[in-house]
Amino acid sequence: MLRFYKQHIDRNDILMHILFWMTWIFSFVIIQSLGHGRHEYFVWLMYYLITLPIFVVHTYLIAYWLVPAFFFRRHYLMLTIIGLAFLVIFSVIELVVSNELVFKVFDPKKAFSPGYLNLKNILISGLGNHYIIFVFLAIKAGKSWYSSEQRKDELLLSSVETELEIYQYQLQPKLILSLVEQMEQLAHQHPEKAPQMIVKISGFLNRFLFEGKEDLISLQLDVNLLQEYLEIHRVALDDRLKLNFVVSGNLKPYVVPPLLLLPFLYESLKIVYACNNSFEISVLIKTERNYLLISFSVWSDNDFRINDDNDLEITRKRLNYRFRGKHRLIENIDENFREISLEIY
């Protein structure tokens, strides 16, 4: 019994088990004695205290040995046979102990008449005493279900954390490679811009690789990174890219996952570099008390299409991880227009 107890009951749960049995004792003392004198309360209190070890051993044998060993393994016949044997054995013990050590000692009027250990009394007493086992098993099952759900949520959370970490590590080399490729292209087409671009790219990468690697960064830092990134491409694309970057409100109180908009900007800028159309990109960041709006839009006179929705999906996961139930992400798409709006509240 002690081995089963140590194996199945965590030490942190001992207090809960003690509370369960104390609640059972005092609640049924009141139920049995309600409307009677003080002596009745005393007698039933002694009954439940003295017979408590019987109920505890019976309950724990079923909950922590019989059910796991036979019910979960679908050995139903053995479960029934041993369960009935336990019912008879513990019912006999409970009848004898309650009669000899409780009622005859504290209230002889309640003592059983001779021959009370017959099959009928044993079965009635045993079945009647099973309510505490059923209550205990119901609570145990509920607790096990809740713990299972918690473990499932923890595993899901761990999976999301790993996915987001991998995504962030993948994003870094992808952006660096694209900047290097654009630098090489610019050096061939407009060599006079190369020194300026080298300075801007170096400054951005320094901040991007070292300051933007945290799980959460200040909104002000995130805004600076976005501005630097867009400025690099504004210089590279010249007249083909019109840039609007509007910030209003106090950014200092806010922290956000780093570079939330950067994947969308990256995919949109790939379209700009791939064609000769002119584009207009607008970024709006607005803060109010307990409210943050981040909006990004890209527009062109000619049609374009961004087919990769992975960035939107991963951004949803990042937001659900950090701001579950406290954000809204909206995407509007047309043939020559794309808008991403994020509200955090």
Side-chain angles (χ1 to χ4, degrees):
M1 178 65 193
L2 184 60
R3 181 171 64 86
F4 293 133
Y5 180 84
K6 290 182 177 179
Q7 181 179 355
H8 293 281
I9 303 178
D10 190 281
R11 290 181 180 180
N12 295 330
D13 291 336
I14 292 177
L15 183 61
M16 296 302 298
H17 285 259
I18 293 173
L19 180 62
F20 171 82
W21 290 109
M22 289 182 63
T23 302
W24 174 69
I25 289 173
F26 288 109
S27 61
F28 277 91
V29 166
I30 293 173
I31 292 172
Q32 296 280 19
S33 309
L34 197 62
H36 299 84
R38 294 181 180 179
H39 181 68
E40 194 77 8
Y41 284 90
F42 173 74
V43 171
W44 284 110
L45 177 62
M46 297 309 299
Y47 166 81
Y48 283 110
L49 287 175
I50 292 173
T51 59
L52 177 63
I54 302 170
F55 288 102
V56 171
V57 172
H58 190 190
T59 301
Y60 283 12
L61 276 175
I62 290 178
Y64 294 111
W65 177 69
L66 187 63
V67 171
F70 296 98
F71 179 80
F72 292 148
R73 297 177 183 178
R74 300 183 180 181
H75 298 160
Y76 301 126
L77 180 60
M78 289 300 298
L79 173 73
T80 303
I81 293 173
I82 297 175
L84 288 173
F86 281 171
L87 183 148
V88 172
I89 293 170
F90 284 99
S91 178
V92 169
I93 296 173
E94 185 268 333
L95 285 171
V96 172
V97 169
S98 61
N99 189 59
E100 302 299 327
L101 300 182
V102 179
F103 297 140
K104 284 186 176 181
V105 175
F106 300 105
D107 192 350
K109 295 179 182 178
K110 288 184 172 60
F112 303 138
S113 59
Y116 66 91
L117 287 178
N118 56 64
L119 182 61
K120 179 181 178 181
N121 285 345
I122 290 171
L123 292 178
I124 291 174
S125 176
L127 292 173
N129 291 335
H130 266 62
Y131 62 86
I132 188 63
I133 299 174
F134 294 142
V135 171
F136 187 89
L137 288 175
I139 294 174
K140 184 177 183 295
K143 185 176 180 296
S144 297
W145 174 84
Y146 179 75
S147 298
S148 175
E149 290 296 309
Q150 275 193 320
R151 286 194 295 269
K152 185 168 66 174
D153 290 343
E154 289 171 358
L155 288 173
L156 181 61
L157 182 62
S158 177
S159 175
V160 171
E161 288 176 344
T162 302
E163 182 181 4
L164 295 180
E165 186 175 359
I166 292 173
Y167 171 77
Q168 188 164 343
Y169 284 125
Q170 289 175 339
L171 181 63
Q172 290 179 350
K174 186 165 64 173
L175 289 175
I176 293 171
L177 179 61
S178 70
L179 288 173
V180 171
E181 291 175 347
Q182 290 153 15
M183 180 65 221
E184 290 179 352
Q185 182 179 355
L186 184 67
H188 285 94
Q189 297 176 355
H190 304 283
E192 72 281 359
K193 293 183 178 180
Q196 182 184 6
M197 286 292 291
I198 290 173
V199 173
K200 289 184 177 295
I201 290 175
S202 297
F204 170 76
L205 291 179
N206 180 62
R207 297 164 70 87
F208 173 64
L209 293 174
F210 296 102
E211 297 182 25
K213 65 182 179 180
E214 302 296 332
D215 292 336
L216 292 172
I217 64 174
S218 69
L219 179 59
Q220 182 65 66
L221 175 57
D222 198 51
V223 168
N224 293 339
L225 287 169
L226 290 177
Q227 286 178 320
E228 290 182 21
Y229 182 73
L230 288 172
E231 180 62 19
I232 291 170
H233 296 287
R234 187 194 65 77
V235 173
L237 293 166
D238 204 6
D239 295 336
R240 290 178 51 211
L241 177 62
K242 181 180 179 182
L243 179 62
N244 303 306
F245 203 106
V246 180
V247 178
S248 66
N250 183 14
L251 306 183
K252 292 182 180 180
Y254 293 90
V255 291
V256 294
L259 310 169
L260 274 174
L261 282 182
L262 197 54
F264 304 118
L265 293 171
Y266 170 75
E267 294 297 332
S268 301
L269 288 165
K270 279 178 25 179
I271 301 295
V272 179
Y273 280 98
C275 63
N276 293 320
N277 301 337
S278 296
F279 285 80
E280 181 175 345
I281 291 179
S282 298
V283 177
L284 169 64
I285 299 175
K286 180 181 179 182
T287 65
E288 296 177 358
R289 181 178 177 84
N290 299 324
Y291 176 80
L292 169 63
L293 170 65
I294 301 176
S295 177
F296 155 75
S297 63
V298 55
W299 174 85
S300 177
D301 287 329
N302 300 309
D303 295 347
F304 65 90
R305 178 63 59 187
I306 299 176
N307 297 319
D308 187 5
D309 289 328
N310 181 61
D311 291 316
L312 186 63
E313 184 60 30
I314 200 71
T315 299
R316 291 188 192 278
K317 290 182 179 180
R318 296 178 76 189
L319 291 168
N320 284 331
Y321 179 70
R322 292 296 178 185
F323 306 104
R324 182 179 295 273
K326 297 183 179 181
H327 73 278
R328 183 170 64 168
L329 184 65
I330 302 172
E331 180 182 32
N332 295 317
I333 299 179
D334 205 343
E335 295 298 326
N336 65 338
F337 176 80
R338 187 190 194 195
E339 180 182 32
I340 306 290
S341 293
L342 167 62
E343 295 178 318
I344 298 175
Y345 39 84

